[in-house]
Amino acid sequence: YYDAWGLYFGSSYHSTDDYGYRDSGLSVRPVQGAKSVTMTFDANGGAVSPTTKVYSINGTYGSLPTPTRSGYTFNGWYTAASGGIKITASSTVSTSITTLYAQWTKSTYTVSFNANGGTGTMSSKTVTIGSSISLPKCTFTKSGYVFAGWATSSAGAVAYGDRVSITPSGNM
């Protein structure tokens, strides 16, 4: 891999900007460039280890670190914090990219409703982590029973009343 072409006077290298045009002792040879690049991984609000890794230029990335971020799903490594080009294990390493940015999507949870021996159906609700939802009015029926509230397990105690706002921290 060559970075550029350079001018040599004898054994001394000069950039093409140093001398302009000269005739005596001038030769043009390729200038050997870097054979590797140190890539920095920016977790973009998350955590990653390692934070840097050396790659061979024109090779592929191979294994990339997997960052973590509570409440988010990792979408991949990109050339920009937002937008950019997605970089995968099979992408070619170049000197023009020295930082890769993690991109994320907020995690979602599903709140499901179970009749717990009653009859009827109710649609599940999807909620983004950190967001709240209002529980719908219970439409289940069970002969001889009055709805007391929502529990998080079939034998659990009532945790939520009908039509209350909750902020779930996981699937319910």
Side-chain angles (χ1 to χ4, degrees), residues 111 113 122-123 125 133-139 147 150 161-164:
V111 178
F113 303 95
M122 292 182 64
S123 298
K125 302 287 183 189
I133 64 164
S134 292
L135 295 175
K137 177 179 178 7
C138 178
T139 59
F147 180 72
W150 300 106
D162 208 13
R163 296 182 177 179
V164 298

Side-chain angles (χ1 to χ4, degrees), residues 70-94:
S70 182
Y72 289 80
T73 301
F74 175 58
N75 293 335
W77 290 107
Y78 288 80
T79 58
S82 176
I85 299 166
K86 186 172 187 174
I87 300 297
T88 65
S90 61
S91 296
T92 302
V93 178
S94 76

Side-chain angles (χ1 to χ4, degrees), residues 34-157:
K35 294 182 181 184
S36 63
V37 62
T38 300
M39 193 63 53
T40 299
F41 298 99
D42 184 329
N44 202 10
V48 66
S49 181
T51 57
T52 62
K53 186 174 178 181
V54 177
Y55 290 97
S56 296
I57 294 172
N58 291 329
T60 59
Y61 284 92
S63 100
L64 292 162
T66 303
T68 57
R69 185 175 179 188
S70 182
Y72 289 80
T73 301
F74 175 58
N75 293 335
W77 290 107
Y78 288 80
T79 58
S82 176
I85 299 166
K86 186 172 187 174
I87 300 297
T88 65
S90 61
S91 296
T92 302
V93 178
S94 76
T95 57
S96 64
I97 302 167
T98 57
T99 302
L100 295 180
Y101 301 87
Q103 289 190 10
W104 306 93
T105 301
K106 276 194 166 190
S107 297
T108 59
Y109 295 112
T110 301
V111 178
S112 301
F113 303 95
N114 183 310
N116 200 17
T119 59
T121 60
M122 292 182 64
S123 298
S124 297
K125 302 287 183 189
T126 301
V127 61
T128 302
I129 192 165
S131 299
S132 62
I133 64 164
S134 292
L135 295 175
K137 177 179 178 7
C138 178
T139 59
F140 295 128
T141 59
K142 187 172 183 180
S143 182
Y145 289 83
V146 174
F147 180 72
W150 300 106
T152 57
S153 67
S154 61

Side-chain angles (χ1 to χ4, degrees), residues 5-42:
W5 292 90
L7 298 175
Y8 283 82
F9 295 102
S11 62
S12 176
Y13 165 74
H14 302 276
S15 78
T16 53
D17 295 333
D18 288 345
Y19 286 96
Y21 296 102
R22 286 198 181 183
D23 297 3
S24 65
L26 174 69
S27 64
V28 178
R29 292 183 259 169
V31 178
Q32 185 70 41
K35 294 182 181 184
S36 63
V37 62
T38 300
M39 193 63 53
T40 299
F41 298 99
D42 184 329

